[in-house]
Amino acid sequence: MSVQEILAHLISFRTITHNSNLDLIHWIRDYLQPYGVDCHLMYNEEGNKAALHCRIGPAVDGGYILSGHTDVVPVEGQQWTSNPFVMIDKNDGKLYGRGTCDMKGFIACCLASVPEMVAADLKVPIYFAFSYDEEIGCLGGPPLIADIQKIYSEQPKYAIIGEPSMLLPTIGQKGIFVADTYVNGSAGHSSRIKDEVSAVHESARLILWLENKMNDLIEQGHIDERFEPPHSTLHVGKVNGGVIFNIVADQTSFQWDMRNIPQDNIDDLIEEFYAYCKERETICRKRFPDFEIRHEPFHPPVPALNTEADQPLVQLMRQLTRNAQLDAVSYAAEAGQFANVGYETIICGPGSIAQAHRADEFIEKEQLEEGVEVLKRLVRHLSK
């Protein structure tokens, strides 16, 4: 089966994050079965989603993980010119469909390379690691990694995350954290603003703290020119609260995110903000004892990636992709999660992130075919 035929099958599965991905996972398992590849399925708590991992080659230390996510973002509200879940070839050198580049294209490259992998005399193993729920905070990465470490007696050493990078070896990735913050103040007549505790006013202080913290980091020289923008960002995207101009608001909420460069520890930034919130609680409870600031994270913090340029995996990927240029990306990915547990990690996959999450998402055929060639070169390298 060609890489394009495989990709067409993968696109046909509507694995939007709020849907199950089991049909796709079972299709991959059935595809691998005739090649004698033993797959492990790791289910989520509800049992309606699963990650898949497997090993091809000898059970020895030092293997390579090829990692991708099976979920895709929604298509509702987007102006598609074709069915997003039917891969379309418009004879313009591109293949259209939801997930073509982000990131079923890479998974298709992995599966298309299986015949070469199983036939090769691999000296170290290649692992597939296909996750779920990446698009809602990389939730599926950590349990998948933990299951790999539990199932195999040997230990992989390297991880290649196939996010769309135009096959440029990518050694940096920003981390991310997203949360809702709820502020409970006291309602009253607006003329009594000094006697009440306005949830709106307090939310404004918290929002300004986030903006000021971002600016402070920039002024302190926390800059990494590999990224655009070249600094950590702290941003509030949604605010709710208040009833009318003459009522002191007792309830507000706002939604915010942090996207950190590797230099800035995201856990430290979160804790610093939470500490400021505690200070405001102490002050405001002197006027209103039930004042409260509460946070509801969307997901655990996703760590940044910062692989050194002189690492062996980086040099190998430069050779395999025939790209000397190195890149860094501002989007979040599972790469930092693999790196955090000790795998030497890089992002490198076919397609452009500029095409992800939009109507008429596509991958260039040339990128898809080159993605297969890069993996074949990896197989030959590991068979020496």
Side-chain angles (χ1 to χ4, degrees), residues 70-280:
T70 62
D71 59 319
V72 297
V73 296
V75 298
E76 287 77 16
Q78 296 185 331
Q79 300 302 309
W80 283 77
T81 58
S82 60
N83 186 335
F85 299 102
V86 176
M87 193 179 78
I88 300 295
D89 183 351
K90 298 182 180 180
N91 295 317
D92 59 356
K94 303 169 184 175
L95 300 170
Y96 295 83
R98 174 57 87 221
T100 46
C101 80
D102 187 18
M103 58 180 298
K104 292 179 178 179
F106 178 72
I107 295 176
C109 291
C110 293
L111 298 179
S113 305
V114 168
E116 284 76 13
M117 292 178 182
V118 298
D121 182 21
L122 294 171
K123 301 301 188 280
V124 296
I126 294 173
Y127 305 82
F128 292 164
F130 303 146
S131 67
Y132 57 82
D133 285 355
E134 190 272 351
E135 294 289 4
I136 53 172
C138 300
L139 299 182
L144 172 58
I145 294 167
D147 206 56
I148 289 172
Q149 294 179 322
K150 179 181 72 174
I151 293 294
Y152 304 104
S153 57
E154 77 283 359
Q155 284 300 315
K157 185 174 182 180
Y158 307 101
I160 301 169
I161 316 303
E163 290 281 358
S165 71
M166 294 298 289
L167 293 170
L168 284 177
T170 299
I171 60 175
Q173 161 225 310
K174 285 188 177 182
I176 189 173
F177 178 72
V178 185
D180 278 323
T181 290
Y182 297 87
V183 179
N184 179 60
S186 58
H189 194 283
S190 61
S191 65
R192 290 174 44 82
I193 183 60
K194 300 299 285 185
D195 300 298
E196 306 294 349
V197 178
S198 167
V200 167
H201 287 205
E202 286 304 314
S203 290
R205 288 186 175 90
L206 304 183
I207 292 169
L208 284 174
W209 187 95
L210 291 168
E211 182 179 28
N212 291 337
K213 183 62 182 179
M214 176 176 62
N215 292 333
D216 288 345
L217 291 171
I218 296 170
E219 291 174 5
Q220 293 164 12
H222 292 224
I223 298 295
D224 191 331
E225 295 291 353
R226 298 176 300 170
F227 297 95
E228 178 56 41
H231 55 81
S232 297
T233 56
L234 288 75
H235 163 259
V236 176
K238 184 179 180 181
V239 181
N240 292 311
V243 178
I244 196 171
F245 74 93
N246 58 358
I247 297 177
V248 176
D250 62 346
Q251 298 289 331
T252 61
S253 66
F254 59 92
Q255 199 169 93
W256 54 281
D257 70 355
M258 295 179 176
R259 296 175 185 266
N260 65 299
I261 59 175
Q263 177 182 353
D264 298 328
N265 185 293
I266 199 163
D267 293 307
D268 291 345
L269 291 174
I270 295 166
E271 287 305 312
E272 193 173 346
F273 178 56
Y274 284 3
Y276 177 72
C277 292
K278 288 295 182 184
E279 290 178 13
R280 293 307 306 170

Side-chain angles (χ1 to χ4, degrees), residues 300-335:
V302 177
L305 173 71
N306 191 32
T307 301
E308 296 297 331
D310 60 355
Q311 291 294 310
L313 179 60
V314 178
Q315 301 310 312
L316 174 62
M317 293 308 296
R318 277 174 154 167
Q319 173 188 335
L320 298 181
T321 63
R322 299 171 180 171
N323 279 317
Q325 179 184 349
L326 299 178
D327 200 8
V329 292
S330 294
Y331 60 75
E334 294 170 337

